[in-house]
Amino acid sequence: MRAWLGHRVEGLPVAAIAALGIALAVYPLVATLPFWRHVVIMSMLYGAMGVAWNILGGLAGQVSFGHALYFGVGAYAAAYCYKVLGLAPLVSIPIALAVSCVAAVLVGLPTFRLRGHYFVLASVFIMEGIHIVVSNWDRFGAAIGLEYPVYKAKGFADALWHGQFQDKLPYYYLAFLLLGLALVVFRAIQRSPFGMFLVAIREEQDAAQSLGVNVARCKLYALVASAAITTLCGTFYAQYVLYVEPSSTMSLVISLEICFIAILGGIGTLWGPVLGAFVIVPVTELLRAYLSGRIALDMSALADGGIAAWLEYYARGGGGNLDILAYGLMIMLIARFQPAGVLGFLRRID
Amino acid sequence: MIYGQVLVDGLIVGLIFALVAMGLSLIYGVMNIVNFAHGEFMMLAMYFCFFLWILAGIDPLLSTPIAAVLMYFVGVAVYRVLIRQVLQATMVAQIFATFGLLLFMQASAHFLWKSDARTIPQSWVSGQFQLGGLFFNGPEVVAGAGALMTAAALYWFIHRTETGLALQAVAEDAQAARLMGIDSDRVFGIAWGVSCAAVAIGGGLLSTYYAITPLSGARWALPAFVAVAIGGFGSISGAFLGGLIIGVVQTAGGFFTSPNYKHLFVFALYLLVVFWRPYGLLGRR
Amino acid sequence: MAEALLTAEGLTKRFGGVYANREVSFEVGRGEIVGLIGPNGAGKTTLFNLVTGFVRPDSGRVRFAGADVTRLRPDRLCHLGVARTFQILKPFPRLTVEENVMIGALARGGGMSRAREAARRCLALVGLEHKSGVLARGLSTGQRKRLEMARALATQPQLLLLDEITGGVDQPSIPGLIELVGRLRAEGVTLLVIEHNMRVIMGLADRVVFLHLGEKLAEGTPQAIASHPEVIALYLGRQHERS
């Protein structure tokens, strides 16, 4: 037993993993304020997406800046199925997965032939293109999006069926499960021949192919696996906030957030994205919470107020977007000072 | 006639895209970095012209050259502070550096000036005229002409001046250029300065008719990436041609469907081009 | 000559207006070692790429073990029993030596533990077993060549194409590499070898094909090639002048 606890999974002893897992499971029972639960829910959600992104970006080395597409597919599928078709999440999840699988194949087949910046831009443009279509398609609520009808559940089972809870606690444990699922899938792939092939493709594509690796098929499977988990996260997100709109699900910023989280923690590592998410998400959520509701002054009134009024205006958050400002600054600084990511320090370097 | 109008409108818009794309391609050609924040320098120049106009009554046509000079130094500074350190890093780190800069500049503009759209309703070039059955907007024509002149100057600078030839040498082979005694660090800085100055001129000219918001630059830069890819990353003349093409495609696409969809055609064009020729229409390698 | 394992018929490839290979035909018999020589730019590596599926020929065909394999992808060819090394070495730099070789073994199916065993066997064969835990980027050029051979061997090839056995390798390592190639033949592998060092080729090859400007100019035993007037004029003479 003791030997097993000391066994390391990518540098982290099993005992430490168990301790962290238990701490995470017990946390919401201690932190009862909705906001503090929310912060960790979002961290786990983004952690799961970072881990999923890492299957394609970290193992196979295919840097996708369009992953919000699959997040959006999950969110929109769930919202559309529930609101328009009246289908419960348990039914809409397979639909969402099927759509995202088809989307992944349609995106992957042509784009995986591209290398370097051409691939990155292709992933951006496909996602932006779908964004434009969705924000002009009335069936999906166009730019306004889809809002869930609020459902008053009769008991827990009923609430689970409708995927709507009054309390944050069930959402918390669902996100917990999502993160666990993503980690298990990543680890399973990483330790399988398939995972070895992906890493070989990342390291030297031609050599991998000469050794019998079917490069196109491996990349495609990696994308499908990665997209599927991201779609599950999208479905969860829709059920959690009960509202989907194009720019908060299918935008470049979300795409960037997903892969930044994976890269910040350490690209290609198991724990990197989790670490990244638990650093980035709380910071942005705190900034957002601090700033929301503080922008009370109207800019036009400032002209008469003199410098003091201007200072007050900016101290209260100015025109907003301070969270994104901090985010951009953070990304820049990390790219400049520690391009390999935080876990880059811990990775094996000969 | 209506097709002629669409074509002419598209070409005029295309000239601005061409100018934006040439600056992007310059940086890519010289140091293999895609500058995602390119449009943000344009946005800064637009705000600069707007504030000079509203606070001091200076016409955008006058403030555009000042914006270009200022943006030259901003570009050099960004290179020195941020880009120099990621030159040897991975592609992902480089993308994060410039994308982080994009978010930072966009959000800063948002923070400082809010997201309200600002316009310069009256400038020297305001007005419309008709020529040969086609309608022209004064500001758009002047902006197109200015972009064309700047593009020509840029071309001249790269192909006819000593500094421009040094740029080309570094783009061709940085190692060999170093042996020839070219200070590549200085050349990289100049490339950033010139690229930012060029896009600032585009921004200044646009400010005479285009609504100014923190997102204005991104609206122009994203399609400009397509122009760069069409022309082959790093090719200056290719980027110019690519700019004209996407100008026409975007205008025609928006005209025949809905302006909401105009970018869609540009993105689709990118995919078509790179699937057909994975290194761009005019690109080599 | 034994039954032909590999047959190239009239392979032609143009890049732009230039012929990299023009109407090249040759055969490699089962169990043979065939050398491929020629000056720089003769089209040797392009010929390798044509045979292994990395480049598609404009015309001509490739037959392997009786089947037409002309337009097959490299990974399909690998599964049929064709493996290669690269002139510009392509190890997986951030994988260990053992993991590098496992990739080759895994392509043959079987799980991770079987692949690990196969990798150990191949590494022992090329004499790299003491490096199995090291990252591939930490190896010397000679060691990398051995690694590429081990990796290719792990795919259990019938035919192995070696692009330069001794190029870029320090003098003392050369005899070991030659001996290794001999050992591979003893294992039953057929070899097609690009090599610049004539002494090496004379000692190893059963037959030699001489390429010049993309065309096959001569073919025969090493002795016949070494005394072939055109080969001497175009290639060997110059090699002598240089050395």
Side-chain angles (χ1 to χ4, degrees):
Chain A
M1 182 69 181
R2 184 177 291 168
W4 183 74
L5 282 175
H7 179 75
R8 282 165 181 268
V9 181
E10 272 218 13
L12 211 56
V14 171
I17 298 168
L20 285 172
I22 292 169
L24 211 50
V26 172
Y27 169 84
L29 307 177
V30 182
T32 47
L33 277 178
F35 175 75
W36 291 112
R37 287 178 176 175
H38 169 77
V39 168
V40 178
I41 289 174
M42 292 308 278
S43 303
M44 291 191 291
L45 179 69
Y46 272 93
M49 286 200 283
V51 172
W53 183 91
N54 217 12
I55 296 172
L56 183 69
L59 293 182
Q62 305 298 306
V63 174
S64 158
F65 276 65
H67 250 51
L69 173 61
Y70 310 106
F71 182 64
V73 165
Y76 267 94
Y80 186 76
C81 283
Y82 190 83
K83 181 171 183 172
V84 181
L85 306 177
L87 298 175
L90 269 182
V91 187
S92 64
I93 284 173
I95 297 174
L97 287 177
V99 175
S100 119
C101 189
V102 171
V105 172
L106 286 181
V107 169
L109 277 182
T111 54
F112 281 140
R113 285 172 43 213
L114 309 172
R115 294 194 187 188
H117 293 113
Y118 286 91
F119 176 78
V120 172
L121 286 178
S123 66
V124 169
F125 289 145
I126 290 175
M127 192 208 62
E128 283 285 310
I130 307 276
H131 179 110
I132 291 174
V133 172
V134 171
S135 18
N136 287 293
W137 201 341
D138 290 331
R139 178 175 288 271
F140 294 106
I144 298 153
L146 296 171
E147 200 170 347
Y148 275 70
V150 176
Y151 180 76
K152 285 258 181 285
K154 304 175 267 298
F156 182 74
D158 192 34
L160 192 62
W161 176 249
H162 283 268
Q164 288 191 28
F165 306 95
Q166 302 296 314
D167 189 39
K168 286 210 181 324
L169 207 57
Y171 287 116
Y172 184 94
Y173 287 110
L174 282 173
F176 185 73
L177 283 180
L178 264 179
L179 178 61
L181 172 78
L183 284 169
V184 166
V185 170
F186 183 89
R187 185 66 178 160
I189 289 178
Q190 196 185 21
R191 287 167 60 87
S192 71
F194 172 56
M196 294 279 284
F197 292 156
L198 293 182
V199 173
I201 290 169
R202 176 189 77 196
E203 295 287 304
E204 193 60 71
Q205 185 167 318
D206 286 344
Q209 197 172 22
S210 83
L211 296 173
V213 176
N214 188 333
V215 172
R217 191 190 295 168
C218 283
K219 284 180 183 173
L220 202 58
Y221 287 174
L223 174 60
V224 168
S226 172
I229 298 173
T230 311
T231 297
L232 281 182
C233 293
T235 305
F236 170 84
Y237 176 79
Q239 297 292 138
Y240 177 53
V241 300
L242 298 177
Y243 173 56
V244 296
E245 45 126 11
S247 57
S248 64
T249 55
M250 240 183 240
S251 69
L252 202 48
V253 175
I254 305 281
S255 274
L256 183 87
E257 227 162 327
I258 295 171
C259 72
F260 180 59
I261 275 166
I263 291 166
L264 171 76
I267 188 167
T269 61
L270 177 67
W271 305 114
V274 185
L275 179 69
F278 274 84
V279 172
I280 293 294
V281 177
V283 171
T284 46
E285 288 291 336
L286 282 170
L287 266 174
R288 206 169 294 161
Y290 169 75
L291 292 170
S292 64
R294 279 174 179 267
I295 309 155
L297 295 175
D298 181 16
M299 210 170 179
S300 57
L302 298 175
D304 319 318
I307 291 173
W310 283 95
L311 286 179
E312 193 192 343
Y313 169 74
Y314 286 122
R316 284 171 176 238
N321 265 24
L322 261 188
D323 52 335
I324 297 187
L325 195 152
Y327 200 69
L329 201 61
M330 203 151 48
I331 293 177
M332 261 194 302
L333 291 178
I334 285 161
R336 187 186 183 287
F337 292 104
Q338 181 55 31
V342 175
L343 267 191
F345 287 123
L346 309 175
R347 299 187 62 194
R348 57 181 184 185
I349 295 167
D350 57 330
Chain B
M1 206 72 249
I2 194 73
Y3 296 106
Q5 183 75 51
V6 168
L7 182 69
V8 167
D9 286 353
L11 285 175
I12 291 175
V13 172
L15 284 167
I16 308 260
F17 277 128
L19 184 59
V20 180
M22 283 168 85
L24 270 176
S25 207
L26 175 67
I27 289 180
Y28 186 85
V30 174
M31 60 192 95
N32 267 305
I33 282 183
V34 173
N35 178 17
F36 279 96
H38 196 57
E40 279 35 66
F41 294 101
M42 183 182 212
M43 177 267 293
L44 272 193
M46 289 164 100
Y47 272 108
F48 178 78
C49 290
F50 170 78
F51 281 115
L52 276 194
W53 176 79
I54 198 155
L55 296 176
I58 299 173
D59 193 86
L61 284 193
L62 281 182
S63 41
T64 296
I66 311 173
V69 172
L70 274 179
M71 229 29 86
Y72 176 89
F73 290 107
V74 173
V76 173
V78 165
Y79 168 74
R80 294 248 170 102
V81 174
L82 178 67
I83 304 301
R84 186 193 268 160
Q85 281 73 18
V86 298
L87 278 179
Q88 306 302 328
T90 57
M91 180 183 80
V92 177
Q94 294 173 345
I95 291 177
F96 276 129
T98 63
F99 211 104
L101 184 63
L102 171 146
L103 289 183
F104 175 72
M105 288 172 75
Q106 235 175 51
S108 299
H110 216 285
F111 170 70
L112 290 171
W113 309 310
K114 298 179 87 166
S115 57
D116 310 0
R118 293 155 201 281
T119 48
I120 299 178
Q122 196 58 47
S123 76
W124 292 349
V125 292
S126 299
Q128 289 180 316
F129 60 93
Q130 205 176 346
L131 195 75
L134 298 173
F135 290 91
F136 291 95
N137 251 332
E140 293 179 23
V141 171
V142 170
L148 183 61
M149 276 156 54
T150 315
L154 198 57
Y155 190 86
W156 173 81
F157 166 74
I158 289 163
H159 290 273
R160 293 284 180 274
T161 66
E162 203 169 314
T163 317
L165 293 175
L167 271 173
Q168 283 187 302
V170 173
E172 206 62 50
D173 187 342
Q175 210 102 49
R178 198 166 305 133
L179 293 176
M180 285 158 57
I182 296 172
D183 178 359
S184 62
D185 189 57
R186 197 183 70 95
V187 167
F188 288 166
I190 291 174
W192 271 83
V194 169
S195 167
C196 291
V199 82
I201 292 179
L205 294 168
L206 272 179
S207 68
T208 55
Y209 69 95
Y210 195 78
I212 303 162
T213 74
L215 292 174
S216 297
R219 296 234 165 84
W220 288 85
L222 209 54
F225 283 114
V226 180
V228 174
I230 289 173
F233 273 101
S235 157
I236 303 287
S237 39
F240 182 78
L241 197 63
L244 294 184
I245 293 174
I246 60 161
V248 173
V249 167
Q250 173 171 323
T251 309
F255 177 78
F256 290 114
T257 58
S258 141
N260 292 336
Y261 290 116
K262 64 181 182 183
H263 282 137
L264 208 54
F265 294 93
V266 178
F267 298 155
L269 181 70
Y270 171 83
L271 297 176
L272 277 179
V273 168
V274 295
F275 296 154
W276 177 43
R277 298 207 44 184
Y279 289 105
L281 213 51
L282 305 172
R284 285 168 297 158
R285 268 183 296 172
Chain C
M1 192 175 73
E3 158 218 2
L5 181 63
L6 176 77
T7 315
E9 296 167 9
L11 286 178
T12 299
K13 179 69 197 178
R14 278 188 305 181
F15 292 115
V18 185
Y19 282 95
N21 283 129
R22 187 169 195 168
E23 294 289 325
V24 178
S25 303
F26 66 95
E27 282 192 355
V28 180
R30 203 177 279 276
E32 266 192 314
I33 297 183
V34 174
L36 193 57
I37 62 167
N40 287 331
K44 302 183 297 283
T45 294
T46 304
L47 193 58
F48 260 40
N49 285 336
L50 289 176
V51 169
T52 52
F54 277 92
V55 174
R56 292 186 166 189
D58 297 330
S59 63
R61 6 194 95 265
V62 181
R63 305 177 72 80
F64 179 73
D68 188 336
V69 297
T70 312
R71 298 205 170 266
L72 292 188
R73 281 196 319 267
D75 50 299
R76 295 280 304 124
L77 273 162
C78 172
H79 285 284
L80 292 175
V82 181
R84 71 172 294 182
T85 64
F86 293 89
Q87 182 188 14
I88 299 158
L89 297 168
K90 295 177 188 285
F92 305 121
R94 287 180 292 175
L95 293 186
T96 65
V97 166
E98 185 178 271
E99 284 166 344
N100 262 266
V101 183
M102 280 175 70
I103 303 283
L106 283 168
R108 278 273 145 186
M112 298 286 266
S113 54
R114 274 201 17 219
R116 189 162 281 125
E117 272 170 42
R120 292 212 177 112
R121 254 197 329 273
C122 293
L123 283 172
L125 190 68
V126 303
L128 266 186
E129 65 271 46
H130 60 292
K131 290 280 185 187
S132 59
V134 176
L135 293 191
R137 67 172 167 206
L139 296 184
S140 70
T141 308
Q143 289 168 335
R144 287 181 191 201
K145 296 230 172 201
R146 286 170 185 272
L147 173 62
E148 287 218 347
M149 284 192 220
R151 217 166 56 171
L153 280 178
T155 68
Q156 301 173 15
Q158 299 182 57
L159 173 69
L160 178 57
L161 293 88
L162 300 177
D163 200 342
E164 298 216 357
I165 307 171
T166 63
V169 176
D170 56 319
Q171 284 293 330
S173 314
I174 290 179
L177 284 166
I178 295 172
E179 190 248 309
L180 172 58
V181 174
R183 223 183 304 155
L184 297 185
R185 187 228 282 269
E187 290 271 312
V189 181
T190 305
L191 290 134
L192 178 61
V193 177
I194 295 178
E195 181 56 51
H196 276 294
N197 188 326
M198 270 313 276
R199 214 175 311 151
V200 171
I201 263 306
M202 298 292 285
L204 271 177
D206 302 310
R207 281 185 310 119
V208 175
V209 171
F210 176 71
L211 281 185
H212 181 64
L213 294 178
E215 294 185 69
K216 186 175 87 173
L217 283 194
E219 181 179 352
T221 61
Q223 289 71 25
I225 288 291
S227 54
H228 193 286
E230 265 186 298
V231 179
I232 293 173
L234 290 168
Y235 186 54
L236 298 180
R238 260 184 246 161
Q239 270 207 333
H240 266 291
E241 276 162 34
R242 228 183 286 145
S243 58

